[in-house]
Amino acid sequence: MYAQEVKSTGKGVKSLDEMDPQERAFQERIDADIKIEPKEWMPDGYRKTLIRQISQHAHSEIVGQLPEGNWITRAPTLDRKAILLAKVQDEAGHGLYLYCAAETLGVSRDQMTEDLLSGKAKYSSIFNYPTLTWADIGAIGWLVDGAAIMNQVPIQRCSFGPYSRAMIRVCKEESFHQRQGYDIMIKLANGTNAQKEMAQDALNRWWHPSLMMFGPPDDQSVHSAQSMAWKIKMNTNDELRQKFVDETVPQAEYLGLTVPDPDLKWNEERGHYDFGELDWNEFYEVIKGNGPCNRERLEARQRAWTDGAWFREGLVAHAEKRASRVAAE
Amino acid sequence: MDDNSVHELALRMGDNCLILGQGLSAWCGHAPALEEDIALANIALDLIGQTKHWLGLAADLSSEKKTADDLAFLRDVREFKNCLLVEQSNGDYGNTLMRQFLFDAWHYPVLEALVKSSDKRIADIAEKSIKEVTYHLERSTDLVIRLGDGSAESNKRMQGALNRLWRYTGELTEPDSIDDALADSGIAPDLGEIRKKHTQYLAAALREAMLTIPDGEQMQSGGKRGLHTEGFGYLLGEMQVLQRSNPGAKW
C-alpha cells in the first residue's frame, strides 16, 4: 500500500502476561478500541512503527503528485485539466495532514523531508512507474486510488487518533479520485479504437504493480503481526489484495477490458477470484530503488527542495527583519 | 454594440486565464514548499474555472458551432488573444511569482470594473471571478514584498524577474479600437483608468518590496493581435497534443 513494508520492532508479539503494567494497560486500551492520543504513554516500538508508516504514507502522497502532474499540462479538455489539478492538490493536502499527524509523535517535517530526499525513507512502489499515456491517468485513479481506498478505509479505525482522523478525511477525497479515474476509463473504453487500445494498454501495465501495492504475501510479511496487534494495520496484505481483485475484475469487465492474467478465474468454492503469482522480484527491486522511475522521482523532489532553498530562506530573512523592526519600535 | 466585440473581450479574458493557468499547473510537485504546491494548484484551478466561463461565452457568441474546449485546444498561435506576460515561461519560482503579481494587479481592477459591465453575461463572470482574484492578488503581493525585502539572494532574484517581465506590462492597458468601443458602450472599463490603478498599485507594492521598476524599458505588445513570443507555440503544442492527435475523440 502507500506504506508497504513498514519495519516494526522485529520481535514477536508479546502476550499481555509478558508485558509490564504500563504496556499492558496500553495494550488493553487498544484491545478495547480506545484511541491512543499523542501525549499518552506508548511503547517506543509503537511510536517508531507509526512514524515510519505515517511518513511513508505522506511521502507517497507527495511523490504521487509527480506521475499525475506529468499529464496536467496535457489533459485533453478544460474539465479534465481542472479535475486533475484538484486531485493532485488534494494529494498534496493529504501529504500535509499526514506529516502533521506524524509530527504529533515527535518527528519534525524537516527531518521527514530529509529522510525522503536522502533515500532513507520509502514511499509506495507504485509511483516509480511511468505515466506514458492519458489512459494511465485513468488507470491510476481507478486502480491505484482504488487500492489505496481498500487499505485506508480500515485504517480509519486504527488505534492512533491523529492517523485515524486523517484517514477519515483522506478517504472521502480518495473515493472521488477513484470515480474520476474510472470515468476517464469509461470514456476511453467507449471511444475510438486508438482510445480503447490506450485503455487496455494502461490496464496491462498498471494491473500487476497495483496488486503489489498491498505489499508482500502474508507468509513473507514479517512485520505484520505486531502492527495488527497494535491495530495500526487492520487486515493482512493478502486479504486486501483478494478484496481488491474481487471488486475490480467486474469493473474491468464492464469496461470491456481484459485483465492481463491468464490464471484469473472465478473460484465458486472459495467465492473469490483466483489469480496468478506476482513477480515479487520486481517488487523488491522497485522498493530497493531500481524501478523505472525511482531515480527521476527522487531527483525531482531533490531539485524542488534545492532550487527552492532561496525562497524559503528569503521568507525567513523577511520574518527576522520584520521582528527586529517591531522590536526597535 | 455588436457581439463581435464582446466575443473578442471574452476571448482575451479567457485566453489570459487559460495560458497563465497552464503555466502554473506545470509546477505541480515541483514547488519549493508543500504549501506552495497546494497554493499554485489552487490558483491554476481557479484560472481554469474562469477560462471555462470566458471561453464558454466566446463559444456561444461565435458564428460557428463551437465549445470552450474547441477554442482552447484547436486554435493556433495567431488566433490566441492573451497578453504576452502570461505566456512567458515559468523560469524560477521568483519569476513565476512576479509574473503572477504583475498580472493579478491588472486582473483585479479589470474585474472590479467588469462586475459593473452593462453586459450582464460579462458582469456575471466577473462577479464569480473577483473573489478568487482578490485572494490571488493578496497572496502574490504578500510574497513579492516578503521576498523582495527578504535575503540578498531573494531580492536579487525578484529584481531579476521584474527586470525581465516589466516590458510586458504596458500592453495590459494599451487600448485598441475594440477596447475603445467596449469602453464607450459601458461593457468594459476605459483602460486609461485601469492603467492609473495598475501603475499606482505596482509602484506602492514594489517600493515596499525594495524593488526598483526598470527605467526606460521599451514595452512589447502584440498579444491582442495574436502576435506572440516564440515560446508560445511550444506551450500550445504541449497543451493541445491529445486533441490534435485524436481528431474528433471524446475525453
Side-chain angles (χ1 to χ4, degrees):
Chain A
M1 187 37 50
Y2 279 18
Q4 283 162 319
E5 263 227 307
V6 180
K7 288 194 174 57
S8 155
T9 57
K11 296 174 196 142
V13 182
K14 284 190 216 164
S15 70
L16 285 176
D17 292 338
E18 292 170 296
M19 294 176 185
D20 65 35
Q22 199 169 30
E23 189 173 357
R24 186 182 170 127
F26 170 85
Q27 187 64 47
E28 281 169 348
R29 295 190 55 166
I30 288 186
D31 294 344
D33 284 331
I34 298 168
K35 295 273 180 265
I36 306 300
E37 295 300 332
K39 290 199 161 46
E40 294 170 33
W41 183 89
M42 59 187 79
D44 274 351
Y46 179 84
R47 184 186 299 276
K48 279 187 191 144
T49 308
L50 261 179
I51 289 176
R52 284 199 199 100
Q53 182 171 337
I54 301 174
S55 64
Q56 273 190 31
H57 190 163
H59 296 327
S60 299
E61 300 280 359
I62 301 309
V63 176
Q65 292 181 89
L66 298 170
E68 293 187 278
N70 184 38
W71 277 92
I72 295 178
T73 56
R74 291 177 288 171
T77 67
L78 294 171
D79 277 335
R80 291 290 178 206
K81 197 187 283 292
I83 293 167
L84 190 55
L85 267 168
K87 174 175 193 249
V88 178
Q89 187 195 16
D90 283 348
E91 274 150 15
H94 296 171
L96 199 54
Y97 19 100
L98 286 161
Y99 281 133
C100 293
E103 280 183 316
T104 66
L105 290 160
V107 60
S108 71
R109 195 163 123 198
D110 280 351
Q111 182 61 52
M112 289 184 272
T113 303
E114 205 173 287
D115 289 347
L116 172 66
L117 299 184
S118 71
K120 186 180 159 207
K122 301 292 179 209
Y123 55 86
S124 178
S125 58
I126 195 75
F127 300 120
N128 291 313
Y129 291 86
T131 49
L132 301 179
T133 72
W134 173 249
D136 291 15
I137 300 306
I140 288 184
W142 171 36
L143 302 173
V144 174
D145 291 302
I149 293 169
M150 202 64 77
N151 182 61
Q152 289 166 10
V153 164
I155 302 181
Q156 294 179 101
R157 294 181 281 108
C158 80
S159 63
F160 187 57
Y163 193 27
S164 152
R165 292 188 287 273
M167 277 308 108
I168 292 171
R169 263 184 96 166
V170 166
C171 282
K172 281 188 193 140
E173 293 177 347
E174 291 291 352
S175 59
F176 153 74
H177 297 169
Q178 192 197 14
R179 282 202 298 278
Q180 68 83 34
Y182 196 64
D183 187 60
I184 290 175
M185 297 306 284
I186 291 177
K187 276 280 189 326
L188 296 175
N190 293 293
T192 63
N193 285 338
Q195 286 175 305
K196 284 179 194 162
E197 279 169 28
M198 205 188 273
Q200 181 63 54
D201 172 60
L203 176 58
N204 293 349
R205 284 181 290 110
W206 290 92
W207 178 253
H208 291 105
S210 298
L211 296 189
M212 289 180 199
M213 285 177 69
F214 296 97
D218 292 349
D219 55 10
Q220 294 171 35
S221 182
V222 287
H223 306 290
S224 290
Q226 180 62 73
S227 290
M228 289 182 76
W230 280 332
K231 294 191 186 166
I232 52 182
K233 183 180 172 94
M234 311 299 285
N235 304 84
T236 75
N237 297 348
D238 286 335
E239 273 167 28
L240 290 170
R241 192 172 3 256
Q242 181 69 60
K243 191 161 184 251
F244 177 75
V245 171
D246 290 347
E247 280 191 21
T248 311
V249 168
Q251 294 167 356
E253 283 168 358
Y254 178 79
L255 292 172
L257 300 177
T258 309
V259 174
D261 178 356
D263 298 326
L264 182 81
K265 65 168 188 295
W266 179 251
N267 183 326
E268 193 62 53
E269 204 173 311
R270 291 203 308 127
H272 292 292
Y273 282 94
D274 290 337
F275 54 96
E277 267 298 302
L278 296 166
D279 180 358
W280 291 107
N281 188 40
E282 174 180 320
F283 172 79
Y284 288 113
E285 284 302 319
V286 176
I287 290 276
K288 264 196 286 180
N290 300 323
C293 298
N294 294 62
R295 193 164 301 189
E296 288 84 345
R297 300 291 184 245
L298 210 51
E299 278 174 4
R301 290 310 305 163
Q302 286 162 345
R303 209 178 313 117
W305 190 248
T306 318
D307 290 355
W310 73 269
F311 169 85
R312 297 187 303 274
E313 287 158 14
L315 295 183
V316 171
H318 178 80
E320 283 166 359
K321 277 185 186 175
R322 185 169 281 185
S324 65
R325 274 178 218 147
V326 170
E329 273 166 20
Chain B
M1 187 73 217
D2 62 63
D3 267 356
N4 277 341
S5 302
V6 178
H7 174 254
E8 196 63 22
L9 175 65
L11 273 187
R12 291 173 182 185
M13 295 299 291
D15 288 349
N16 282 336
C17 294
L18 174 59
I19 301 307
L20 187 56
Q22 174 73 5
L24 292 177
S25 66
W27 273 102
C28 232
H30 303 280
L34 189 46
E35 287 80 354
E36 293 301 304
D37 272 319
I38 296 174
L40 284 200
N42 191 28
I43 295 167
L45 191 54
D46 288 344
L47 290 169
I48 298 302
Q50 293 173 24
T51 304
K52 286 198 280 182
H53 295 307
W54 289 119
L55 293 188
L57 175 59
D60 289 345
L61 294 172
S62 72
S63 46
E64 301 146 84
K65 210 173 162 224
K66 284 195 173 168
T67 64
D69 281 333
D70 294 336
L71 293 176
F73 296 97
L74 297 173
R75 277 180 301 155
D76 212 338
V77 171
R78 296 283 280 111
E79 299 164 275
F80 270 82
K81 302 300 172 63
N82 55 281
C83 59
L84 302 179
L85 177 65
V86 295
E87 73 194 45
Q88 297 311 303
S89 60
N90 283 344
D92 71 0
Y93 203 66
N95 197 72
T96 294
L97 287 175
M98 183 58 77
R99 183 184 65 192
Q100 188 71 36
F101 166 69
L102 296 172
F103 179 75
D104 292 341
W106 170 84
H107 200 195
Y108 178 80
V110 167
L111 289 174
E112 195 183 37
L114 290 180
V115 166
K116 293 177 232 135
S117 172
S118 60
D119 187 308
K120 188 166 181 318
R121 298 166 296 186
I122 299 279
D124 285 348
I125 300 175
E127 184 80 48
K128 282 183 207 136
S129 309
I130 196 161
K131 286 184 205 110
E132 295 166 347
V133 173
T134 304
Y135 161 72
H136 300 175
L137 179 60
E138 261 174 43
R139 182 189 129 82
S140 62
T141 305
D142 176 59
L143 282 173
V144 164
I145 290 172
R146 286 156 71 192
L147 292 166
D149 184 19
S151 66
E153 173 70 12
S154 70
N155 175 273
K156 191 175 121 204
R157 284 182 185 251
M158 297 314 285
Q159 185 65 53
L162 181 60
N163 295 349
R164 229 174 359 259
L165 295 170
W166 185 253
R167 61 198 167 127
Y168 300 111
T169 56
E171 178 191 43
L172 293 168
T173 50
E174 187 185 277
D176 62 7
S177 59
I178 294 172
D179 292 310
D180 290 338
L182 287 164
D184 287 344
S185 52
I187 292 174
D190 170 6
L191 285 183
E193 291 299 312
I194 300 294
R195 173 168 295 232
K196 275 187 220 153
K197 289 186 182 173
H198 191 223
T199 311
Q200 268 173 16
Y201 188 91
L202 294 182
L206 291 170
R207 201 179 312 117
E208 200 182 338
M210 317 288 263
L211 298 172
T212 313
I213 294 174
D215 207 16
E217 277 283 314
Q218 176 62 46
M219 290 292 172
Q220 302 293 315
S221 66
K224 287 178 195 175
R225 285 171 287 140
L227 294 170
H228 294 278
T229 45
E230 275 189 344
F232 191 51
Y234 292 94
L235 183 152
L236 291 188
E238 182 178 356
M239 183 173 80
Q240 299 180 335
V241 61
L242 282 172
Q243 291 268 359
R244 297 286 192 186
S245 55
N246 296 271
K250 298 274 177 282
W251 301 93

